[in-house]
Amino acid sequence: MSTITPELVSLDDGLGGDKAAVIKALAARVVAQGRATDADALFADAWAREQKDETGLPGGIAIPHAKSSAVTEPSLAFARLKPGVDFGAPDGPADLVFLIAAPEGAAEAHLAVLSKLARSLMQDDFTSGLRAAATPTDVVSIVRQAIGEEEAAPVAATAAPAAAPVTATAAAPAAASVAPGLEVEGRPARLVAVTSCATGIAHTFMAADALTAAGKKTGVDLTVEPQGSSGYQALPQHIIDSADAVIFATDVDVRELQRFAGKPVVRSGVKRGIEEPNELIAEAVAAAKNPAATRVSGAGGGAGTAAVATESLSWGARIQRILLTGVSYMIPFVAGGGLLIALGFLLGGYNVTADAATVITQNALWNLPPGGLGQYLGSVAFMIGATSMGFLVSALSGYIAFAIADRPGIAPGFVAGAVAVLMNAGFIGGIVGGLLAGVTAWWISSWPAPRWLRGLMPVVIIPLLASIVASGLLILFLGRPIATLMTWLNDWLTALSQSGVGAIALGVVLGLMMCFDLGGPINKVAYSFAVAGLAAGSASNPAPLLIMAAVMCSGMVPPLAMALASTVLARNLFTPVERENGKAAWLLGASFISEGAIPFAAADPLRVLPASMVGGAVTGALCMALNVQSYAPHGGIFVLFAIQPIWGFLVALVAGTVVTAFLVVAFKRFIAPKELEAAESGLTAAAVPA
């Protein structure tokens, strides 16, 4: 099937006065041709990409694009607009607009075809042909030749393979002179570049071609590695080693960053690679001549490095991102371990903890303990889960260090986490140890090491020295004070959870935090606090179990309430898209996935979030008042066997859900009703993410 057909082409039609209207119209064409199932969903995905970075480009071009689960066949929808529409390009409105629609799991071959289109848009004869085309059929022919679906025309010959490195001087050996200032040691500067964008379809390859063209024009020796969704071909290491400097024109982490360790580097977003390639080349040459220039960290990475991704963030945002990275890697240990512990209780009873270790070492399937098969399997599940939970602090610490220093930070971070456990410093000690290990590893990686030593830095020297510094500081100075703080905190929480009014107040606070930003930093703080203490929960120390139950139950409220309001109580107050989201929110909420309410909050935050917080506070308070305990850190109603009393959990959940649902309906009915009338009339039928 062709990627573009005449029915997907609009010539000189008015599709609306702004870019949202144009994208909606093109998405509707894709759906009308049976290439996607839901125009609203396709628009939402393309619009989300547009909100991250506008897709207007110099020369009157715009390429809104998305990978979407609604797309069933890779497609190009094209519009030639009169007048043009502003897509955020620096030189004015766009009159040539391509909507690139790729399936969520598009094959590499399909993505390569779409990337060829992006590269062709950098060619003047291609865009001139589109502006001169008389019929949709002419447009289809021009485009299909460019992407290789018809016999190659001259325009197609200029399109390089989608994932291959692009070399400026190899393509234009006739470049005789170098632009002033772009020489290093009396010869043309040797540069390498990496380009990548969030979707890896369009901007990645357009930036690669723009940099390549600029390299030809200026006479520098420039080789570009586009890292797109269709894969990438890594630059030969000898080319990287001989380069004077590196350009990273990327919106996502650079893959295999350690290949560029020690090189002077210039970093920017991918769009600047398209719009200002000459400036990037000049900056890279200047960095090559500057001994104090920023260099690629010697800490090698696999999928990416936090240093690249966080460079433009404030210190507060960096610290938040670092801590959340540690939490995100820790959660699988906790979730899997907690569910296995809960399964152990289900099979072997709550007394399985007394002798589980003895049972699994002294018994077997052919030599069952007195409690029979249930006790044996329960002991096995419990011990596997307890072992997994034992990695909680080490994983938190190790991946906090990873977020700062990449792979060389993992080992000292894990060691520091283990030392924190040894010192009874708990998860606070793990956080401190991870930060110490990460900062130390990052600092050591910045040392100017000779080339022969660089290979040993990330695998031997950095982990060794960072482990000594971070763990040594914990043992000698920080461990005991943090352990004292943890003891005080646990005692205070235990007393608070047993004090009636204090327990209810704690439940209210936890409920408010879980519903404040629906999976954001505040939500994650409350959840991390709960799961970090879960391993210490027991019949004699129920506070962590109470906190876990309040957190999980409160986090289920927003999506369930939005589902109830939009599909049962007041369907007419919600847009068609919201009603569809409401159907999915039933399952998301039941599974304890707070993010199920995000589509509603994004479209209407001032009414959805306050209502959610009230319901979450009610649920948290009731959980504490009814003494609800959870041995599982995740799962919602699917782990009811690990919750006691079940009836208390369900009562708290239903109460909070109903309160939030009715508040949302009331807010929508009586606050700013004109906005709702506009939404129902179709003026804002598709919610634009905030």
Side-chain angles (χ1 to χ4, degrees), residues 19-20 23-24 40-53 577-578 581 597-605 684-690:
K19 60 182 179 180
I23 296 173
K24 286 179 185 178
D40 289 331
L42 175 54
F43 166 75
D45 291 330
W47 187 256
R49 175 65 183 85
E50 193 75 25
Q51 294 297 94
K52 292 177 183 176
D53 190 10
V577 173
E578 288 176 324
N581 289 333
I598 286 179
F600 299 89
D604 193 4
T684 57
V688 177

PDB file of all heavy atoms in Angstrom, residues 19-20 23-24 40-53 577-578 581 597-605 684-690:
ATOM      1  N   LYS A  19      -2.842  26.079  13.512  1.00  0.00           N
ATOM      2  CA  LYS A  19      -2.225  24.787  13.239  1.00  0.00           C
ATOM      3  C   LYS A  19      -3.032  23.630  13.820  1.00  0.00           C
ATOM      4  O   LYS A  19      -3.024  22.529  13.262  1.00  0.00           O
ATOM      5  CB  LYS A  19      -0.789  24.760  13.762  1.00  0.00           C
ATOM      6  CG  LYS A  19      -0.623  24.981  15.255  1.00  0.00           C
ATOM      7  CD  LYS A  19       0.858  24.986  15.614  1.00  0.00           C
ATOM      8  CE  LYS A  19       1.068  25.221  17.103  1.00  0.00           C
ATOM      9  NZ  LYS A  19       2.505  25.224  17.465  1.00  0.00           N
ATOM     10  N   ALA A  20      -3.739  23.851  14.927  1.00  0.00           N
ATOM     11  CA  ALA A  20      -4.558  22.778  15.491  1.00  0.00           C
ATOM     12  C   ALA A  20      -5.630  22.348  14.494  1.00  0.00           C
ATOM     13  O   ALA A  20      -5.880  21.146  14.298  1.00  0.00           O
ATOM     14  CB  ALA A  20      -5.192  23.228  16.806  1.00  0.00           C
ATOM     15  N   ILE A  23      -3.989  20.318  11.628  1.00  0.00           N
ATOM     16  CA  ILE A  23      -3.628  18.954  12.040  1.00  0.00           C
ATOM     17  C   ILE A  23      -4.879  18.092  12.181  1.00  0.00           C
ATOM     18  O   ILE A  23      -4.906  16.927  11.770  1.00  0.00           O
ATOM     19  CB  ILE A  23      -2.833  18.993  13.353  1.00  0.00           C
ATOM     20  CG1 ILE A  23      -1.508  19.723  13.140  1.00  0.00           C
ATOM     21  CG2 ILE A  23      -2.563  17.585  13.860  1.00  0.00           C
ATOM     22  CD1 ILE A  23      -0.724  19.965  14.419  1.00  0.00           C
ATOM     23  N   LYS A  24      -5.943  18.667  12.755  1.00  0.00           N
ATOM     24  CA  LYS A  24      -7.194  17.909  12.888  1.00  0.00           C
ATOM     25  C   LYS A  24      -7.735  17.502  11.523  1.00  0.00           C
ATOM     26  O   LYS A  24      -8.180  16.360  11.326  1.00  0.00           O
ATOM     27  CB  LYS A  24      -8.240  18.749  13.629  1.00  0.00           C
ATOM     28  CG  LYS A  24      -8.009  18.894  15.111  1.00  0.00           C
ATOM     29  CD  LYS A  24      -9.097  19.760  15.735  1.00  0.00           C
ATOM     30  CE  LYS A  24      -8.836  20.027  17.201  1.00  0.00           C
ATOM     31  NZ  LYS A  24      -9.844  20.907  17.811  1.00  0.00           N
ATOM     32  N   ASP A  40      -9.452  11.727  16.664  1.00  0.00           N
ATOM     33  CA  ASP A  40      -9.144  12.479  17.884  1.00  0.00           C
ATOM     34  C   ASP A  40      -7.866  11.971  18.540  1.00  0.00           C
ATOM     35  O   ASP A  40      -7.050  12.751  19.028  1.00  0.00           O
ATOM     36  CB  ASP A  40     -10.309  12.385  18.873  1.00  0.00           C
ATOM     37  CG  ASP A  40     -11.523  13.186  18.409  1.00  0.00           C
ATOM     38  OD1 ASP A  40     -11.330  14.192  17.705  1.00  0.00           O
ATOM     39  OD2 ASP A  40     -12.652  12.797  18.746  1.00  0.00           O
ATOM     40  N   ALA A  41      -7.705  10.649  18.559  1.00  0.00           N
ATOM     41  CA  ALA A  41      -6.501  10.082  19.174  1.00  0.00           C
ATOM     42  C   ALA A  41      -5.259  10.440  18.369  1.00  0.00           C
ATOM     43  O   ALA A  41      -4.210  10.776  18.931  1.00  0.00           O
ATOM     44  CB  ALA A  41      -6.635   8.568  19.293  1.00  0.00           C
ATOM     45  N   LEU A  42      -5.362  10.386  17.041  1.00  0.00           N
ATOM     46  CA  LEU A  42      -4.221  10.752  16.203  1.00  0.00           C
ATOM     47  C   LEU A  42      -3.883  12.222  16.383  1.00  0.00           C
ATOM     48  O   LEU A  42      -2.712  12.599  16.503  1.00  0.00           O
ATOM     49  CB  LEU A  42      -4.530  10.439  14.737  1.00  0.00           C
ATOM     50  CG  LEU A  42      -3.468  10.872  13.711  1.00  0.00           C
ATOM     51  CD1 LEU A  42      -2.100  10.314  14.069  1.00  0.00           C
ATOM     52  CD2 LEU A  42      -3.883  10.440  12.308  1.00  0.00           C
ATOM     53  N   PHE A  43      -4.905  13.073  16.399  1.00  0.00           N
ATOM     54  CA  PHE A  43      -4.657  14.493  16.638  1.00  0.00           C
ATOM     55  C   PHE A  43      -3.999  14.713  17.991  1.00  0.00           C
ATOM     56  O   PHE A  43      -3.040  15.496  18.119  1.00  0.00           O
ATOM     57  CB  PHE A  43      -5.959  15.284  16.583  1.00  0.00           C
ATOM     58  CG  PHE A  43      -5.831  16.679  17.155  1.00  0.00           C
ATOM     59  CD1 PHE A  43      -5.191  17.683  16.446  1.00  0.00           C
ATOM     60  CD2 PHE A  43      -6.306  16.969  18.423  1.00  0.00           C
ATOM     61  CE1 PHE A  43      -5.039  18.954  16.984  1.00  0.00           C
ATOM     62  CE2 PHE A  43      -6.165  18.235  18.968  1.00  0.00           C
ATOM     63  CZ  PHE A  43      -5.530  19.229  18.236  1.00  0.00           C
ATOM     64  N   ALA A  44      -4.503  14.018  19.026  1.00  0.00           N
ATOM     65  CA  ALA A  44      -3.953  14.210  20.371  1.00  0.00           C
ATOM     66  C   ALA A  44      -2.475  13.845  20.414  1.00  0.00           C
ATOM     67  O   ALA A  44      -1.664  14.546  21.031  1.00  0.00           O
ATOM     68  CB  ALA A  44      -4.732  13.373  21.380  1.00  0.00           C
ATOM     69  N   ASP A  45      -2.097  12.761  19.748  1.00  0.00           N
ATOM     70  CA  ASP A  45      -0.691  12.359  19.745  1.00  0.00           C
ATOM     71  C   ASP A  45       0.163  13.357  18.968  1.00  0.00           C
ATOM     72  O   ASP A  45       1.271  13.707  19.392  1.00  0.00           O
ATOM     73  CB  ASP A  45      -0.545  10.957  19.143  1.00  0.00           C
ATOM     74  CG  ASP A  45      -1.126   9.886  20.044  1.00  0.00           C
ATOM     75  OD1 ASP A  45      -1.120  10.083  21.269  1.00  0.00           O
ATOM     76  OD2 ASP A  45      -1.593   8.855  19.526  1.00  0.00           O
ATOM     77  N   ALA A  46      -0.337  13.815  17.808  1.00  0.00           N
ATOM     78  CA  ALA A  46       0.415  14.801  17.038  1.00  0.00           C
ATOM     79  C   ALA A  46       0.490  16.131  17.787  1.00  0.00           C
ATOM     80  O   ALA A  46       1.522  16.816  17.760  1.00  0.00           O
ATOM     81  CB  ALA A  46      -0.229  14.994  15.663  1.00  0.00           C
ATOM     82  N   TRP A  47      -0.590  16.488  18.459  1.00  0.00           N
ATOM     83  CA  TRP A  47      -0.598  17.754  19.193  1.00  0.00           C
ATOM     84  C   TRP A  47       0.342  17.700  20.394  1.00  0.00           C
ATOM     85  O   TRP A  47       1.016  18.683  20.718  1.00  0.00           O
ATOM     86  CB  TRP A  47      -2.016  18.094  19.645  1.00  0.00           C
ATOM     87  CG  TRP A  47      -2.104  19.466  20.244  1.00  0.00           C
ATOM     88  CD1 TRP A  47      -2.200  19.791  21.556  1.00  0.00           C
ATOM     89  CD2 TRP A  47      -2.053  20.711  19.539  1.00  0.00           C
ATOM     90  NE1 TRP A  47      -2.224  21.144  21.724  1.00  0.00           N
ATOM     91  CE2 TRP A  47      -2.146  21.742  20.506  1.00  0.00           C
ATOM     92  CE3 TRP A  47      -1.953  21.045  18.190  1.00  0.00           C
ATOM     93  CZ2 TRP A  47      -2.127  23.081  20.164  1.00  0.00           C
ATOM     94  CZ3 TRP A  47      -1.942  22.388  17.850  1.00  0.00           C
ATOM     95  CH2 TRP A  47      -2.030  23.386  18.830  1.00  0.00           C
ATOM     96  N   ALA A  48       0.398  16.550  21.053  1.00  0.00           N
ATOM     97  CA  ALA A  48       1.331  16.406  22.170  1.00  0.00           C
ATOM     98  C   ALA A  48       2.759  16.607  21.697  1.00  0.00           C
ATOM     99  O   ALA A  48       3.574  17.254  22.369  1.00  0.00           O
ATOM    100  CB  ALA A  48       1.166  15.029  22.811  1.00  0.00           C
ATOM    101  N   ARG A  49       3.075  16.080  20.523  1.00  0.00           N
ATOM    102  CA  ARG A  49       4.420  16.285  19.962  1.00  0.00           C
ATOM    103  C   ARG A  49       4.631  17.762  19.622  1.00  0.00           C
ATOM    104  O   ARG A  49       5.702  18.328  19.847  1.00  0.00           O
ATOM    105  CB  ARG A  49       4.589  15.420  18.708  1.00  0.00           C
ATOM    106  CG  ARG A  49       5.904  15.643  17.965  1.00  0.00           C
ATOM    107  CD  ARG A  49       7.093  15.213  18.815  1.00  0.00           C
ATOM    108  NE  ARG A  49       8.368  15.490  18.161  1.00  0.00           N
ATOM    109  CZ  ARG A  49       8.998  16.656  18.217  1.00  0.00           C
ATOM    110  NH1 ARG A  49       8.470  17.670  18.894  1.00  0.00           N
ATOM    111  NH2 ARG A  49      10.166  16.818  17.621  1.00  0.00           N
ATOM    112  N   GLU A  50       3.587  18.409  19.106  1.00  0.00           N
ATOM    113  CA  GLU A  50       3.670  19.822  18.746  1.00  0.00           C
ATOM    114  C   GLU A  50       3.905  20.682  19.980  1.00  0.00           C
ATOM    115  O   GLU A  50       4.612  21.693  19.921  1.00  0.00           O
ATOM    116  CB  GLU A  50       2.379  20.245  18.044  1.00  0.00           C
ATOM    117  CG  GLU A  50       2.437  21.581  17.349  1.00  0.00           C
ATOM    118  CD  GLU A  50       3.220  21.537  16.044  1.00  0.00           C
ATOM    119  OE1 GLU A  50       3.304  20.443  15.444  1.00  0.00           O
ATOM    120  OE2 GLU A  50       3.740  22.577  15.635  1.00  0.00           O
ATOM    121  N   GLN A  51       3.313  20.283  21.105  1.00  0.00           N
ATOM    122  CA  GLN A  51       3.471  21.061  22.324  1.00  0.00           C
ATOM    123  C   GLN A  51       4.894  20.976  22.869  1.00  0.00           C
ATOM    124  O   GLN A  51       5.375  21.903  23.510  1.00  0.00           O
ATOM    125  CB  GLN A  51       2.484  20.574  23.389  1.00  0.00           C
ATOM    126  CG  GLN A  51       1.019  20.825  23.046  1.00  0.00           C
ATOM    127  CD  GLN A  51       0.713  22.314  22.934  1.00  0.00           C
ATOM    128  OE1 GLN A  51       0.754  22.876  21.851  1.00  0.00           O
ATOM    129  NE2 GLN A  51       0.421  22.956  24.038  1.00  0.00           N
ATOM    130  N   LYS A  52       5.559  19.849  22.631  1.00  0.00           N
ATOM    131  CA  LYS A  52       6.943  19.715  23.090  1.00  0.00           C
ATOM    132  C   LYS A  52       7.870  20.618  22.293  1.00  0.00           C
ATOM    133  O   LYS A  52       8.791  21.222  22.834  1.00  0.00           O
ATOM    134  CB  LYS A  52       7.396  18.259  22.962  1.00  0.00           C
ATOM    135  CG  LYS A  52       6.692  17.297  23.902  1.00  0.00           C
ATOM    136  CD  LYS A  52       7.166  15.874  23.650  1.00  0.00           C
ATOM    137  CE  LYS A  52       6.421  14.889  24.530  1.00  0.00           C
ATOM    138  NZ  LYS A  52       6.804  13.482  24.229  1.00  0.00           N
ATOM    139  N   ASP A  53       7.636  20.685  20.995  1.00  0.00           N
ATOM    140  CA  ASP A  53       8.499  21.511  20.146  1.00  0.00           C
ATOM    141  C   ASP A  53       7.767  21.757  18.835  1.00  0.00           C
ATOM    142  O   ASP A  53       7.395  20.811  18.136  1.00  0.00           O
ATOM    143  CB  ASP A  53       9.827  20.797  19.876  1.00  0.00           C
ATOM    144  CG  ASP A  53      10.840  21.716  19.212  1.00  0.00           C
ATOM    145  OD1 ASP A  53      10.583  22.929  19.141  1.00  0.00           O
ATOM    146  OD2 ASP A  53      11.890  21.211  18.767  1.00  0.00           O
ATOM    147  N   VAL A 577     -14.257  12.532  23.464  1.00  0.00           N
ATOM    148  CA  VAL A 577     -12.933  11.977  23.764  1.00  0.00           C
ATOM    149  C   VAL A 577     -12.817  11.649  25.247  1.00  0.00           C
ATOM    150  O   VAL A 577     -12.283  10.597  25.635  1.00  0.00           O
ATOM    151  CB  VAL A 577     -11.833  12.963  23.338  1.00  0.00           C
ATOM    152  CG1 VAL A 577     -10.461  12.480  23.796  1.00  0.00           C
ATOM    153  CG2 VAL A 577     -11.844  13.157  21.830  1.00  0.00           C
ATOM    154  N   GLU A 578     -13.302  12.538  26.109  1.00  0.00           N
ATOM    155  CA  GLU A 578     -13.246  12.288  27.550  1.00  0.00           C
ATOM    156  C   GLU A 578     -14.089  11.081  27.939  1.00  0.00           C
ATOM    157  O   GLU A 578     -13.707  10.308  28.825  1.00  0.00           O
ATOM    158  CB  GLU A 578     -13.705  13.532  28.310  1.00  0.00           C
ATOM    159  CG  GLU A 578     -12.700  14.671  28.266  1.00  0.00           C
ATOM    160  CD  GLU A 578     -13.220  15.930  28.939  1.00  0.00           C
ATOM    161  OE1 GLU A 578     -14.429  16.204  28.841  1.00  0.00           O
ATOM    162  OE2 GLU A 578     -12.411  16.636  29.546  1.00  0.00           O
ATOM    163  N   ASN A 581     -12.026   8.151  27.183  1.00  0.00           N
ATOM    164  CA  ASN A 581     -10.986   8.022  28.203  1.00  0.00           C
ATOM    165  C   ASN A 581     -11.555   7.503  29.518  1.00  0.00           C
ATOM    166  O   ASN A 581     -10.877   6.786  30.261  1.00  0.00           O
ATOM    167  CB  ASN A 581     -10.307   9.372  28.440  1.00  0.00           C
ATOM    168  CG  ASN A 581      -9.426   9.798  27.279  1.00  0.00           C
ATOM    169  OD1 ASN A 581      -8.908   8.963  26.551  1.00  0.00           O
ATOM    170  ND2 ASN A 581      -9.259  11.095  27.106  1.00  0.00           N
ATOM    171  N   ALA A 597      -6.212   9.542  35.176  1.00  0.00           N
ATOM    172  CA  ALA A 597      -7.006  10.775  35.259  1.00  0.00           C
ATOM    173  C   ALA A 597      -6.325  11.953  34.573  1.00  0.00           C
ATOM    174  O   ALA A 597      -6.904  13.036  34.498  1.00  0.00           O
ATOM    175  CB  ALA A 597      -7.269  11.126  36.724  1.00  0.00           C
ATOM    176  N   ILE A 598      -5.118  11.760  34.056  1.00  0.00           N
ATOM    177  CA  ILE A 598      -4.377  12.883  33.469  1.00  0.00           C
ATOM    178  C   ILE A 598      -5.103  13.520  32.288  1.00  0.00           C
ATOM    179  O   ILE A 598      -5.121  14.753  32.174  1.00  0.00           O
ATOM    180  CB  ILE A 598      -2.955  12.433  33.079  1.00  0.00           C
ATOM    181  CG1 ILE A 598      -2.108  12.275  34.347  1.00  0.00           C
ATOM    182  CG2 ILE A 598      -2.296  13.427  32.133  1.00  0.00           C
ATOM    183  CD1 ILE A 598      -0.686  11.811  34.099  1.00  0.00           C
ATOM    184  N   PRO A 599      -5.718  12.755  31.354  1.00  0.00           N
ATOM    185  CA  PRO A 599      -6.414  13.422  30.244  1.00  0.00           C
ATOM    186  C   PRO A 599      -7.491  14.388  30.716  1.00  0.00           C
ATOM    187  O   PRO A 599      -7.700  15.438  30.111  1.00  0.00           O
ATOM    188  CB  PRO A 599      -7.014  12.257  29.448  1.00  0.00           C
ATOM    189  CG  PRO A 599      -6.130  11.098  29.758  1.00  0.00           C
ATOM    190  CD  PRO A 599      -5.721  11.283  31.188  1.00  0.00           C
ATOM    191  N   PHE A 600      -8.164  14.064  31.807  1.00  0.00           N
ATOM    192  CA  PHE A 600      -9.197  14.949  32.340  1.00  0.00           C
ATOM    193  C   PHE A 600      -8.565  16.166  33.010  1.00  0.00           C
ATOM    194  O   PHE A 600      -9.023  17.297  32.837  1.00  0.00           O
ATOM    195  CB  PHE A 600     -10.062  14.184  33.352  1.00  0.00           C
ATOM    196  CG  PHE A 600     -10.778  13.004  32.784  1.00  0.00           C
ATOM    197  CD1 PHE A 600     -10.189  11.750  32.765  1.00  0.00           C
ATOM    198  CD2 PHE A 600     -12.047  13.139  32.240  1.00  0.00           C
ATOM    199  CE1 PHE A 600     -10.848  10.654  32.235  1.00  0.00           C
ATOM    200  CE2 PHE A 600     -12.711  12.056  31.703  1.00  0.00           C
ATOM    201  CZ  PHE A 600     -12.105  10.809  31.697  1.00  0.00           C
ATOM    202  N   ALA A 601      -7.511  15.930  33.789  1.00  0.00           N
ATOM    203  CA  ALA A 601      -6.859  17.041  34.474  1.00  0.00           C
ATOM    204  C   ALA A 601      -6.165  17.980  33.497  1.00  0.00           C
ATOM    205  O   ALA A 601      -6.138  19.194  33.699  1.00  0.00           O
ATOM    206  CB  ALA A 601      -5.847  16.495  35.480  1.00  0.00           C
ATOM    207  N   ALA A 602      -5.605  17.423  32.415  1.00  0.00           N
ATOM    208  CA  ALA A 602      -4.929  18.270  31.433  1.00  0.00           C
ATOM    209  C   ALA A 602      -5.905  19.208  30.741  1.00  0.00           C
ATOM    210  O   ALA A 602      -5.587  20.353  30.441  1.00  0.00           O
ATOM    211  CB  ALA A 602      -4.215  17.403  30.401  1.00  0.00           C
ATOM    212  N   ALA A 603      -7.116  18.717  30.480  1.00  0.00           N
ATOM    213  CA  ALA A 603      -8.119  19.528  29.797  1.00  0.00           C
ATOM    214  C   ALA A 603      -8.820  20.503  30.735  1.00  0.00           C
ATOM    215  O   ALA A 603      -9.290  21.551  30.299  1.00  0.00           O
ATOM    216  CB  ALA A 603      -9.147  18.616  29.127  1.00  0.00           C
ATOM    217  N   ASP A 604      -8.887  20.174  32.023  1.00  0.00           N
ATOM    218  CA  ASP A 604      -9.677  20.981  32.951  1.00  0.00           C
ATOM    219  C   ASP A 604      -9.054  20.933  34.350  1.00  0.00           C
ATOM    220  O   ASP A 604      -9.676  20.461  35.300  1.00  0.00           O
ATOM    221  CB  ASP A 604     -11.107  20.432  32.983  1.00  0.00           C
ATOM    222  CG  ASP A 604     -12.079  21.385  33.670  1.00  0.00           C
ATOM    223  OD1 ASP A 604     -11.658  22.485  34.052  1.00  0.00           O
ATOM    224  OD2 ASP A 604     -13.259  21.012  33.827  1.00  0.00           O
ATOM    225  N   PRO A 605      -7.819  21.403  34.531  1.00  0.00           N
ATOM    226  CA  PRO A 605      -7.119  21.199  35.806  1.00  0.00           C
ATOM    227  C   PRO A 605      -7.764  21.904  36.990  1.00  0.00           C
ATOM    228  O   PRO A 605      -7.735  21.386  38.104  1.00  0.00           O
ATOM    229  CB  PRO A 605      -5.712  21.760  35.529  1.00  0.00           C
ATOM    230  CG  PRO A 605      -5.894  22.721  34.385  1.00  0.00           C
ATOM    231  CD  PRO A 605      -6.995  22.132  33.547  1.00  0.00           C
ATOM    232  N   THR A 684     -14.015  22.945  21.155  1.00  0.00           N
ATOM    233  CA  THR A 684     -12.837  22.417  21.838  1.00  0.00           C
ATOM    234  C   THR A 684     -13.016  20.946  22.131  1.00  0.00           C
ATOM    235  O   THR A 684     -12.735  20.461  23.206  1.00  0.00           O
ATOM    236  CB  THR A 684     -12.587  23.178  23.151  1.00  0.00           C
ATOM    237  OG1 THR A 684     -13.757  23.080  23.981  1.00  0.00           O
ATOM    238  CG2 THR A 684     -12.250  24.620  22.894  1.00  0.00           C
ATOM    239  N   ALA A 685     -13.531  20.220  21.136  1.00  0.00           N
ATOM    240  CA  ALA A 685     -13.859  18.814  21.352  1.00  0.00           C
ATOM    241  C   ALA A 685     -12.642  17.987  21.702  1.00  0.00           C
ATOM    242  O   ALA A 685     -12.738  17.032  22.435  1.00  0.00           O
ATOM    243  CB  ALA A 685     -14.534  18.236  20.116  1.00  0.00           C
ATOM    244  N   ALA A 686     -11.510  18.320  21.157  1.00  0.00           N
ATOM    245  CA  ALA A 686     -10.291  17.580  21.483  1.00  0.00           C
ATOM    246  C   ALA A 686      -9.496  18.387  22.485  1.00  0.00           C
ATOM    247  O   ALA A 686      -9.094  19.499  22.208  1.00  0.00           O
ATOM    248  CB  ALA A 686      -9.449  17.335  20.231  1.00  0.00           C
ATOM    249  N   ALA A 687      -9.321  17.822  23.679  1.00  0.00           N
ATOM    250  CA  ALA A 687      -8.640  18.557  24.739  1.00  0.00           C
ATOM    251  C   ALA A 687      -7.186  18.767  24.388  1.00  0.00           C
ATOM    252  O   ALA A 687      -6.491  17.859  24.003  1.00  0.00           O
ATOM    253  CB  ALA A 687      -8.753  17.780  26.053  1.00  0.00           C
ATOM    254  N   VAL A 688      -6.725  19.983  24.513  1.00  0.00           N
ATOM    255  CA  VAL A 688      -5.330  20.312  24.229  1.00  0.00           C
ATOM    256  C   VAL A 688      -4.543  20.164  25.523  1.00  0.00           C
ATOM    257  O   VAL A 688      -4.886  20.768  26.525  1.00  0.00           O
ATOM    258  CB  VAL A 688      -5.208  21.754  23.709  1.00  0.00           C
ATOM    259  CG1 VAL A 688      -3.758  22.113  23.495  1.00  0.00           C
ATOM    260  CG2 VAL A 688      -5.990  21.910  22.424  1.00  0.00           C
ATOM    261  N   PRO A 689      -3.484  19.348  25.548  1.00  0.00           N
ATOM    262  CA  PRO A 689      -2.713  19.170  26.771  1.00  0.00           C
ATOM    263  C   PRO A 689      -2.178  20.502  27.280  1.00  0.00           C
ATOM    264  O   PRO A 689      -1.734  21.342  26.519  1.00  0.00           O
ATOM    265  CB  PRO A 689      -1.567  18.244  26.357  1.00  0.00           C
ATOM    266  CG  PRO A 689      -2.078  17.545  25.128  1.00  0.00           C
ATOM    267  CD  PRO A 689      -2.970  18.529  24.443  1.00  0.00           C
ATOM    268  N   ALA A 690      -2.226  20.646  28.586  1.00  0.00           N
ATOM    269  CA  ALA A 690      -1.745  21.888  29.188  1.00  0.00           C
ATOM    270  C   ALA A 690      -0.235  21.934  29.209  1.00  0.00           C
ATOM    271  O   ALA A 690       0.402  20.931  29.210  1.00  0.00           O
ATOM    272  CB  ALA A 690      -2.268  21.998  30.613  1.00  0.00           C
TER     273      ALA A 690
END
